[in-house]
Amino acid sequence: MDGKLFLVPTPIGNLEDMTFRAIRILKECDLILAEDTRTSAPMLKHFGIDKRVFAHHQHNEHKATAEIIRFLNEGQQIALISDAGTPAISDPGFFLVREAIKNDIAVECLPGATAFVPALVNSGLPADSFCFEGFLPVKKGRQTKFKKLAEEERTIILYESPHRLLKTLEEFAQYLGAERQASVSRELTKMFEETVRGTLTEIKSHFENNTLKGEFVICIAGKPATKQKNKYDDAED
């Protein structure tokens, strides 16, 4: 049998979001690569998955990939999971996928949980066209990114940590305008799930006086498109 790399999404909070297919693949594969084996262990135990699990994260993925490619070339079936959600979406995975493709190894990504999709749909903002930014730069390139996003006409989606949320909302209000409509979701699929909608100023005010805990997804309305006036606009009927 030829080797194959499976990218398997795992729940972002609620274990009921695990798919039957994901459980089957994890039970049938030869090896599981996990972002953090301590985080994945309870989830794997919950679903009765007893497989070899190796750590595969941003600090070792370049070094470990060569050996993983060797295993795949030997015919092993390997599954990659992240701590939560879909691998390679603001998590390790891209480098391994690229190397597998370079080596003509089959790659298959299962559909499943990822935080930004429910946050976008739940926001009430246009979902027909959007840009996903992941995490913003912390220092270098941060101001340049805000200036670029100020001109973005699509709905903007990004992830943010609790200790930077207020600063990020303040900076977005500065560059995009305090009245820009937005939505912030936290603890998606968990017991204390919360979505706050309104202007950037209103949302910032809410979180200044409420819980700053969990993973945050920010959705912001794009810049209103400027209508191009043409010679027929003032013409009489």
Side-chain angles (χ1 to χ4, degrees), residues 40-178:
S40 62
M43 185 271 295
L44 295 173
K45 182 179 180 181
H46 177 84
F47 292 111
I49 299 166
D50 184 17
K51 290 288 178 177
R52 291 184 299 160
V53 182
F54 290 172
H56 184 80
H57 46 71
Q58 62 179 345
H59 303 296
N60 76 346
E61 62 177 338
H62 285 72
K63 182 178 180 180
T65 293
E67 186 174 17
I68 296 167
I69 295 298
R70 179 171 64 81
F71 290 159
L72 289 164
N73 278 323
E74 291 173 353
Q76 293 199 38
Q77 310 288 296
I78 298 178
L80 172 66
I81 61 175
S82 63
D83 286 347
T86 301
I89 302 295
S90 292
D91 282 317
F94 162 73
F95 183 75
L96 177 57
V97 170
R98 186 180 66 181
E99 293 304 302
I101 293 170
K102 283 182 180 178
N103 285 270
D104 295 322
I105 294 167
V107 177
E108 184 173 341
C109 182
L110 279 63
T114 189
F116 79 81
V117 174
L120 170 62
V121 175
N122 200 31
S123 72
L125 298 173
D128 57 334
S129 182
F130 59 88
C131 66
F132 173 67
E133 292 292 327
F135 287 94
L136 293 176
V138 177
K139 294 181 180 179
K140 186 178 180 181
R142 188 173 175 89
Q143 185 178 31
T144 300
K145 177 64 73 173
F146 277 111
K147 289 180 178 179
K148 181 179 179 181
L149 291 176
E151 300 302 316
E152 178 59 66
E153 296 182 356
R154 298 170 294 176
T155 299
I156 302 162
I157 312 168
L158 60 140
Y159 293 156
E160 193 51 279
S161 61
H163 67 277
R164 280 199 296 267
L165 178 70
L166 295 178
K167 177 184 177 182
T168 296
L169 291 173
E170 181 178 351
E171 289 174 302
F172 268 117
Q174 176 186 345
Y175 285 95
L176 277 64

